Amino acid sequence: MCAHTPQCPTADSPDREAAQVVAAHPEQGWSLLCNALVIFEDTGELLPDNQVVAPHRPLAAATV
């Protein structure tokens, strides 16, 4: 699907979020990547096979 050089990572690779954005909708909180991955502003993902990846933001640093 990717026509970029170098080719974007596939949707099942660990670095899948590094693919290029082909459609951005920040007003709705999501973007479509070249590898057919939909990423959401809350860091959740929708894979091309309709699997959902829960948001995975890093935890905030603990305050003492």
Side-chain angles (χ1 to χ4, degrees):
M1 174 187 263
C2 179
H4 303 107
T5 304
Q7 193 169 24
C8 291
T10 62
D12 59 352
S13 68
D15 60 343
R16 62 183 168 239
E17 295 174 14
Q20 293 195 18
V21 174
V22 295
H25 293 277
E27 71 283 358
Q28 296 176 355
W30 63 274
S31 294
L32 173 65
L33 303 184
C34 181
N35 57 6
L37 179 72
V38 177
I39 57 172
F40 296 94
E41 152 182 297
D42 69 353
T43 69
E45 301 172 0
L46 179 61
L47 302 176
D49 63 0
N50 293 326
Q51 289 184 9
V52 174
V53 177
H56 48 276
R57 286 186 175 155
L59 296 175
T63 58
V64 178

